[in-house]
Amino acid sequence: MRKQFLYLLPIMAITMACSSHPDEAFRSMYHHTPPAKWMNDPNGMFYQNGVWHLYYQHNPFGTTWGPMHWAHATSTDLLTWEEQSIVLYPDSLGTIFSGSAVIDTDNTAGFGKGAIIAIYTQSEVCGQNQSIAYSLDGGYTFTPYEANPVLKGDVPDFRDPKVSRDGDHWLMTLACGQEIRFFRSADLKQWTYLSSFGEGYGNHNGVWECPELIKMGDRFVLLVSINPGGPFGGSATQYFVGDWDGTHFTCMDKPETQKWLDYGKDNYSTFTFHNAPEHRLVAIGWMSNWQYAQQLPTKAFRSQNTIARDLSLYQDDHGDYRIASMPSKETLSVRGRETKHLPATAVVDIEINGNQDACLTLSNDQGEKLIMTFDARQQTFSMDRTAAGDCSFSQDFAATTTAPIFVAHETHHITLFIDRCSIEVFGTNGEWTMTNLVFPSKPYNRLDAQGGKVTIYTCQIND
């Protein structure tokens, strides 16, 4: 058993947003945030016995990126999160980067029937390798495998393993520079290379990261985060639709096609929960952008995650397959009573005539404005946050983001999820989404609509 570097850390309390301390002014009401210090990518998410387990990249020593650990939070409703103890610490093989977790129902790895197996990247000066750890208490504590690493890297960026069951074996989807590699294993310990995908396809203006291969209906979708290279600068998540034959992924789109999971600046490293109920594809992403993530105007903590979303596949007006992303039913329960006045946190439903322009403006008493525009001729939805609040911390933050609308509707049904520092927009049937951070000096308290019918709801969380 190799020596581990242990850190004495306080056990953090439940992540809620009720403090009036100025450091907590932007802490979300119904999004997951770390109790303190730094957070990035969600990791190792799984569902078991009514509990959603979320691990995440965490630096317990500061509010910027640093020595990565796996922190842990749990929820029964995907809205309120209870912080647990850190489960993976840096050791002699390196710090703990992103990865995934599976329930080993058949004891294929030999650690015990039903063990939770975490598969993650360990990063050190000489490179990046893949290691595993096992939990026999349902994911609350983990023991690293004594023969780690289980897969050694041969390129500088060799990371972020997403493991899933594929027939009678395990499949690892791994980011390697600007391509995705696939590996097979019977026991999660010995891995055999299968194939690679990526050369000439999609966007290559940055390093590929955090991949996941997902079966959606009769197709397969490969999620690939990229940094930089996003459509509005910085980091974003692209995806490819195609087929998987057990060895190779084949993309059905032209190589130059670029498809984006979200048309805001702040949705990155999206992963789905392993073993989600009802065979649903429930996903959460990191709500930030590497252009400015370490400069955000919060002090006690940095970063939050998106609300949970259910993913599916649909065909647009041209017959192209695209991802639909809808708020998960658990998330929808945050919608409270109807109200005439805009509260600090709200859910807003908007009906827009597909043949008429519309403009919606969120504003406050400080003159700060977030402007959203539906362009009927161009069939686009845009969000302008250049005057929405504090943008001083980064020249890259002030921006207008635009989503193309892929399906013509007589009436568009758009939903906004407004929290203390974020706006998430869902187009009709989840056919497009837009996720953006905002930092108003005071909460928005007015919503002016021109060309749309608006219904405002309070937000409620049932403790």
Side-chain angles (χ1 to χ4, degrees), residues 241-306:
V241 181
D243 295 303
W244 172 254
D245 65 4
T247 303
H248 296 85
F249 175 78
T250 303
C251 183
M252 63 190 300
D253 294 313
K254 295 179 180 179
E256 64 271 21
T257 301
Q258 295 184 21
K259 294 180 175 179
W260 299 99
L261 184 65
D262 192 282
Y263 285 88
K265 281 183 70 81
D266 298 307
N267 186 1
Y268 192 63
S269 183
T270 296
F271 284 115
T272 65
F273 283 87
H274 170 70
N275 196 46
E278 302 166 351
H279 304 288
R280 293 160 54 200
L281 298 172
V282 181
I284 285 179
W286 178 47
M287 193 190 290
S288 199
N289 189 307
W290 278 114
Q291 285 183 324
Y292 43 73
Q294 301 185 90
Q295 289 82 46
L296 296 179
T298 58
K299 295 180 181 179
F301 72 101
R302 278 210 174 97
S303 294
Q304 65 183 41
N305 288 316
T306 68

Side-chain angles (χ1 to χ4, degrees), residues 362-370 387-389 441 444 446:
L362 295 174
S363 62
N364 60 19
D365 296 334
Q366 308 302 308
E368 295 164 337
K369 296 181 178 181
L370 179 79
S441 57
Y444 303 125
R446 289 190 299 274

Side-chain angles (χ1 to χ4, degrees), residues 335 347-351 413-416 453-457:
R335 183 191 275 117
V347 177
V348 179
D349 290 336
I350 308 161
E351 292 185 6
H413 298 272
I414 297 172
T415 300
L416 310 181
K453 178 184 177 182
V454 173
T455 307
I456 302 172
Y457 301 90

Side-chain angles (χ1 to χ4, degrees), residues 136-459:
L136 302 180
D137 62 1
Y140 292 91
T141 61
F142 282 85
T143 302
Y145 176 44
E146 62 183 9
N148 279 332
V150 296
L151 182 62
K152 294 184 177 181
D154 59 359
V155 295
D157 298 301
F158 189 82
R159 59 176 180 260
D160 309 338
K162 177 66 177 183
V163 171
S164 58
R165 197 68 178 162
D166 188 26
D168 61 355
H169 61 269
W170 299 101
L171 175 69
M172 179 191 292
T173 306
L174 191 72
C176 305
Q178 288 196 337
E179 69 176 14
I180 303 303
R181 296 183 190 174
F182 300 99
F183 298 84
R184 173 184 293 168
S185 176
D187 60 4
L188 295 167
K189 300 173 181 176
Q190 303 293 323
W191 293 92
T192 302
Y193 170 76
L194 295 175
S195 63
S196 299
F197 169 81
E199 184 175 358
Y201 279 84
N203 187 299
H204 284 267
N205 293 330
V207 175
W208 285 19
E209 299 182 313
C210 304
E212 180 173 5
L213 183 66
I214 312 170
K215 191 175 190 306
M216 293 187 183
D218 59 354
R219 301 290 182 184
F220 283 82
V221 173
L222 179 62
L223 299 180
V224 179
S225 293
I226 183 170
N227 177 46
F232 308 105
S235 47
T237 300
Q238 61 182 328
Y239 66 93
F240 306 89
V241 181
D243 295 303
W244 172 254
D245 65 4
T247 303
H248 296 85
F249 175 78
T250 303
C251 183
M252 63 190 300
D253 294 313
K254 295 179 180 179
E256 64 271 21
T257 301
Q258 295 184 21
K259 294 180 175 179
W260 299 99
L261 184 65
D262 192 282
Y263 285 88
K265 281 183 70 81
D266 298 307
N267 186 1
Y268 192 63
S269 183
T270 296
F271 284 115
T272 65
F273 283 87
H274 170 70
N275 196 46
E278 302 166 351
H279 304 288
R280 293 160 54 200
L281 298 172
V282 181
I284 285 179
W286 178 47
M287 193 190 290
S288 199
N289 189 307
W290 278 114
Q291 285 183 324
Y292 43 73
Q294 301 185 90
Q295 289 82 46
L296 296 179
T298 58
K299 295 180 181 179
F301 72 101
R302 278 210 174 97
S303 294
Q304 65 183 41
N305 288 316
T306 68
I307 59 172
R309 308 169 180 200
D310 279 37
L311 306 183
S312 60
L313 211 58
Y314 74 98
Q315 286 182 277
D316 66 17
D317 285 345
H318 299 286
D320 292 332
Y321 284 91
R322 297 187 181 276
I323 291 179
S325 182
M326 287 289 288
S328 296
K329 61 183 180 181
E330 294 85 354
T331 302
L332 288 172
S333 68
V334 80
R335 183 191 275 117
R337 60 179 177 81
E338 187 175 335
T339 179
K340 297 296 183 182
H341 304 286
L342 184 69
T345 57
V347 177
V348 179
D349 290 336
I350 308 161
E351 292 185 6
I352 297 175
N353 187 314
N355 298 314
Q356 296 180 355
D357 293 344
C359 182
L360 303 113
T361 302
L362 295 174
S363 62
N364 60 19
D365 296 334
Q366 308 302 308
E368 295 164 337
K369 296 181 178 181
L370 179 79
I371 302 171
M372 294 165 281
T373 305
F374 172 77
D375 187 317
R377 185 176 65 85
Q378 297 291 333
Q379 286 292 287
T380 59
F381 183 94
S382 298
M383 185 186 299
D384 179 355
R385 69 179 182 190
T386 57
D390 185 6
C391 298
S392 64
F393 52 88
S394 170
Q395 63 181 5
D396 297 309
F397 188 79
T400 298
T401 61
T402 302
I405 294 174
F406 302 108
V407 178
H409 294 281
E410 182 176 333
T411 301
H412 290 274
H413 298 272
I414 297 172
T415 300
L416 310 181
F417 283 81
I418 303 170
D419 211 334
R420 290 177 174 167
C421 68
S422 63
I423 310 290
E424 290 168 274
V425 187
F426 294 83
T428 305
N429 303 320
E431 292 159 4
W432 55 270
T433 62
M434 182 179 291
T435 304
N436 282 319
L437 293 170
V438 289
F439 295 96
S441 57
K442 297 289 184 182
Y444 303 125
N445 57 5
R446 289 190 299 274
L447 195 160
D448 299 315
Q450 299 178 5
K453 178 184 177 182
V454 173
T455 307
I456 302 172
Y457 301 90
T458 60
C459 287

